Amino acid sequence: MTDLSGPDTQRSPRILIVDDEVANVTALQSTLSRHGYETEGFVDPAEALASIERGVFDLLLADLMMPGMGGVELMREALARDPDLVGVIMTGEGTIATAVDAMKTGALDYILKPLKLSVVLPVLSRALTVRKLRIENAELAQSVRERTAELEVARAEAKFRLAMDAARMGEVAVDLRSEQVVHTPAFAKLLGYPADRRLSLAEIRECWHPDDRTRIIQERDVAIASGAGLFETEYRIVWPDGTTKWLTGRGQIIRDASGGAIEANVIYMDITERKWVEEKQNLLLAELNHRVKNTLATVQSIALLSRLDTPTPELFSERFEARLGALAGAHDLLTLASWEGASLADAVSRTLAPYVRAGKGAKRIAIGGPIVQLSPNAAVTLHMAFHELATNAAKYGALSTPEGRLDVRWSIDRTSAPVTVEFVWTERGGPIVIPPRRRGLGLKLVEQGLERELDGTATLRFEPEGLVCLLRLPASAKVAPL
Amino acid sequence: MSGVDPSLFGLRVFAVEDEALIALMLEVMLEELGCKVVGVAGTVPRALAQVETMGSDIGAAILDVNIGGEKVYPVADALAVRGVPFLFCTGYAATGIIEPYRDRIVLDKPYSKTALANALAPLAGKHPERHWHRSPDTGRTKR
């Protein structure tokens, strides 16, 4: 605080002298003028106060005892007008107590009358120093206040930027008359450019996805033409590297007093991931819808075909419900593997489980073969075909007598092209087989159905000692041996 | 049994359907409508081979859009080249059909026999040279 240079030191110190005796005022003015002070003198305290309001004084030198308004009151009034003003009270001997009181009201010092120059000058000089310190202090305080406010603004700005960056938001302002663009580094990144790249309006428009261009322009024109308020937009852009991204923008049109659009301020965010999830969800819903409809069509087929090969309504219900149960079983099997498929062994075991559980069955049913993975549709169809074969066996074949045996085995023929799954269903020990006169749904499904759907061959041999079903299924996406 | 639509009687229908049970039902429905099922294919290669063999001997075709994970469009192309009318059936929404077949009839699964008949009827008159099933007792041959 040693540097006291400032605007105040560039000019002479200004001192206001108030004393009810004109001679005192005149004497002080001439003496102090000679010592570099610029002075103004009054005998009337009210006039002195008016003068403080007009101009800036550094010091107030006031007589304590004056008629009307005393020095103490003057000092208080003067400080109310200029808090940095430094006051000095002049008083005669014997009234020091009053002078002390005066100092309590804000005067810096007092001088005893009669005045001696050797006393007055050092007191005034010291008062002047205090005045300078006060002014400097006030300036510093103001500067600190301003700097603090600046820092707060900067901190708020930094926080805002951090939030924008964290949310991967980019901000852009377009002057609608000059088409000049100001944008944040994050905005350049949203468009696939390095953060330090400054983009022109033409370059930004270049990013618009060709299919969304017309809509973007329409929406922009509507926003500019319509009233105030926020507008929202969602569209695709193409990065310089060719990737397509989705952006969502929320913005505002700034208008002049007559309502003309001056500037567009928009904050953008990348929503590619959200769009991707939405799209995936829609695909899943479409797929679910497809599967449900296909399943309904399958149920419809089972109903129609069951009606055709059953003579009585009672028998229809029984067969239809059994087939519906088999279809449900096939779906359970698929649900276990998230509808990605099932193994041939599972499809066979699940169909035959009721007969194995029935007791003695475990000994007479043998199932075995290498791992073959089935697609969901193939698993359903094979499951249904096995259900028909098992029902047939339980009614007329090997599973209808305690002595009957059922052998279900498969192997993989790797010498053929393509590799083929050879599946053999052999019934033995049941009643003597009489070939059926006509094929019901069950046998049709095994023969025609499997041949068509799995592109293989199916042969049913009604041998007297038991039914044999031979399937040759070429390896494919539907039937995949490991 | 609903009545047989006379315009469908004897129509030679080829079907591409990969699901065995649905294919069997389709066959039954077509026979009940008086159509002659000239072939049912469960895979795209099989279907292409059959179109190749039968050619324009097919009066109308019913194509399931999704055949074992493949799209049926190559079969549609082969039929279009031969001037054979066809329709699509699908469990997916009709919006899934690609150009240039967007204006073709799409039968939504599951479909009733009546819906099948209604979808087939416009195809029955469309073929430049209409194919009738050879009927031995009348001696009528395809005209």
Side-chain angles (χ1 to χ4, degrees):
Chain A
M1 295 278 217
T2 49
D3 180 14
L4 295 183
S5 65
D8 287 337
T9 56
Q10 300 304 309
R11 58 169 174 80
S12 309
R14 287 169 58 94
I15 185 162
L16 181 64
I17 301 158
V18 189
D19 196 315
D20 56 335
E21 284 182 43
V22 181
N24 283 349
V25 173
T26 321
L28 271 169
Q29 277 192 280
S30 67
T31 309
L32 292 177
S33 297
R34 279 201 302 278
H35 284 87
Y37 286 91
E38 197 180 305
T39 67
E40 227 174 289
F42 292 98
V43 289
D44 181 358
E47 278 181 41
L49 282 176
S51 182
I52 287 173
E53 279 167 13
R54 279 197 303 274
V56 175
F57 290 96
D58 297 307
L59 306 178
L60 168 63
L61 187 58
D63 189 18
L64 181 65
M65 308 295 275
M66 288 184 290
M69 186 186 292
V72 173
E73 200 186 336
L74 172 63
M75 193 61 63
R76 196 168 44 237
E77 290 292 324
L79 284 174
R81 285 163 177 75
D82 178 4
D84 296 331
L85 188 67
V86 178
V88 175
I89 292 288
M90 298 178 285
T91 180
E93 266 175 313
T95 52
I96 290 174
T98 319
V100 170
D101 284 346
M103 286 173 66
K104 282 182 188 163
T105 68
L108 176 76
D109 209 344
Y110 68 94
I111 310 171
L112 286 177
K113 282 184 174 180
L115 302 176
K116 288 181 193 141
L117 200 58
S118 60
V119 174
V120 171
L121 286 177
V123 168
L124 290 184
S125 171
R126 195 168 71 87
L128 207 55
T129 305
V130 170
R131 160 73 175 171
K132 280 174 185 165
L133 284 174
R134 280 189 188 172
I135 285 173
E136 199 175 61
N137 201 30
E139 280 171 359
L140 273 173
Q142 177 63 22
S143 147
V144 165
R145 271 197 300 276
E146 282 169 4
R147 183 80 189 110
T148 305
E150 273 171 30
L151 281 173
E152 268 167 16
V153 168
R155 199 180 304 139
E157 176 85 353
K159 267 168 115 175
F160 176 64
R161 290 274 161 256
L162 177 65
M164 297 268 282
D165 279 354
R168 277 174 295 171
M169 284 172 160
E171 197 186 353
V172 62
V174 182
D175 186 316
L176 294 172
R177 290 168 302 196
S178 69
E179 302 216 319
Q180 289 297 303
V181 176
V182 182
H183 65 77
T184 57
F187 180 75
K189 280 161 84 179
L190 280 182
L191 299 189
Y193 285 96
D196 56 2
R197 180 68 193 274
R198 292 288 161 266
L199 297 163
S200 70
L201 192 58
E203 283 174 312
I204 294 171
R205 285 176 178 159
E206 202 55 43
C207 295
W208 293 348
H209 193 285
D211 294 350
D212 290 355
R213 197 169 290 267
T214 314
R215 186 169 57 83
I216 296 170
I217 293 168
Q218 272 172 3
E219 287 180 356
R220 182 202 61 192
D221 290 348
V222 166
I224 290 174
S226 67
L230 282 175
F231 66 85
E232 277 187 58
T233 179
E234 243 181 55
Y235 56 81
R236 284 166 294 174
I237 52 156
V238 183
W239 277 18
D241 68 6
T243 46
T244 299
K245 299 275 179 182
W246 272 96
L247 292 188
T248 183
R250 275 169 168 242
Q252 200 175 14
I253 303 289
I254 312 286
R255 293 171 195 282
D256 59 20
S258 59
I262 307 172
E263 193 179 290
N265 281 326
V266 194
I267 291 174
Y268 283 99
M269 195 166 78
D270 190 312
I271 52 162
T272 312
E273 208 166 306
R274 196 185 85 198
K275 283 283 176 189
W276 182 80
V277 170
E278 279 175 14
E279 210 168 293
K280 199 176 167 184
Q281 197 170 11
N282 287 338
L283 277 176
L284 278 175
L285 278 174
E287 184 58 31
L288 177 66
N289 186 35
H290 174 240
R291 278 179 186 173
V292 168
K293 283 182 176 175
N294 250 12
T295 304
L296 288 173
T298 306
V299 172
Q300 186 194 12
S301 304
I302 293 171
L304 177 77
L305 299 166
S306 299
R307 175 170 59 72
L308 287 180
D309 71 355
T310 51
T312 65
E314 293 74 30
L315 205 52
F316 166 76
S317 296
E318 189 193 309
R319 288 201 187 161
F320 175 66
E321 279 159 21
R323 284 166 177 160
L324 217 48
L327 183 61
H331 282 202
D332 282 345
L333 202 62
L334 291 173
T335 306
L336 288 177
S338 316
W339 269 82
E340 277 166 17
S343 74
L344 182 56
D346 285 344
V348 175
S349 308
R350 199 176 175 103
T351 314
L352 293 175
Y355 306 101
V356 174
R357 271 202 300 273
K360 297 159 279 184
K363 278 179 207 155
R364 55 190 178 122
I365 298 178
I367 302 167
I371 295 173
V372 176
Q373 191 62 27
L374 305 173
S375 76
N377 281 351
V380 170
T381 304
L382 279 169
H383 195 277
M384 295 303 291
F386 297 150
H387 167 78
E388 296 300 330
L389 286 173
T391 308
N392 187 68
K395 236 181 263 169
Y396 315 108
L399 298 177
S400 68
T401 63
E403 300 78 28
R405 281 183 297 106
L406 170 61
D407 232 42
V408 185
R409 308 217 177 257
W410 61 94
S411 58
I412 296 162
D413 178 0
R414 295 193 187 274
T415 59
S416 61
V419 170
T420 304
V421 176
E422 293 203 331
F423 176 95
V424 190
W425 170 291
T426 313
E427 295 180 33
R428 286 292 179 260
I432 292 172
V433 173
I434 304 156
R437 283 199 309 277
R438 54 181 285 277
R439 301 284 207 252
L441 163 63
L443 301 182
K444 264 194 192 165
L445 178 63
V446 174
E447 288 180 320
Q448 295 173 28
L450 293 185
E451 279 193 6
R452 282 178 198 154
E453 181 168 338
L454 304 175
D455 209 13
T457 59
T459 315
L460 284 173
R461 288 208 305 256
F462 295 94
E463 296 171 0
E465 56 272 43
L467 174 79
V468 175
C469 173
L470 272 169
L471 303 177
R472 282 184 62 84
L473 308 172
S476 65
K478 298 170 184 172
V479 177
L482 283 190
Chain B
M1 300 282 149
S2 57
V4 171
D5 183 338
S7 72
L8 296 179
F9 190 80
L11 183 66
R12 297 169 64 80
V13 179
F14 173 60
V16 184
E17 169 60 67
D18 68 327
E19 287 187 55
L21 276 163
I22 298 172
L24 288 172
M25 173 182 67
L26 181 56
E27 261 183 300
V28 170
M29 282 183 170
L30 287 169
E31 277 160 13
E32 286 180 354
L33 287 171
C35 301
K36 165 74 179 168
V37 180
V38 294
V40 178
T43 66
V44 170
R46 279 275 170 105
L48 286 172
Q50 292 192 46
V51 170
E52 180 73 27
T53 314
M54 292 186 281
S56 54
D57 207 22
I58 301 167
I62 298 170
L63 311 178
D64 185 6
V65 177
N66 255 300
I67 297 297
E70 275 184 80
K71 295 287 182 197
V72 80
Y73 300 121
V75 183
D77 295 341
L79 290 166
V81 165
R82 291 165 172 81
V84 178
F86 54 87
L87 61 82
F88 293 103
C89 68
T90 177
Y92 286 103
T95 48
I97 307 293
I98 59 155
E99 286 295 351
Y101 301 125
R102 238 170 237 173
D103 57 343
R104 300 292 172 132
I105 294 168
V106 178
L107 192 55
D108 283 329
K109 277 185 179 178
Y111 45 80
S112 66
K113 196 166 74 182
T114 312
L116 178 64
N118 289 341
L120 270 176
L123 268 57
K126 227 177 186 176
H127 203 292
E129 190 191 343
R130 197 160 157 201
H131 294 277
W132 296 92
H133 169 44
R134 262 176 237 260
S135 179
D137 38 46
T138 60
R140 190 169 66 180
T141 54
K142 61 177 182 172
R143 51 173 181 145

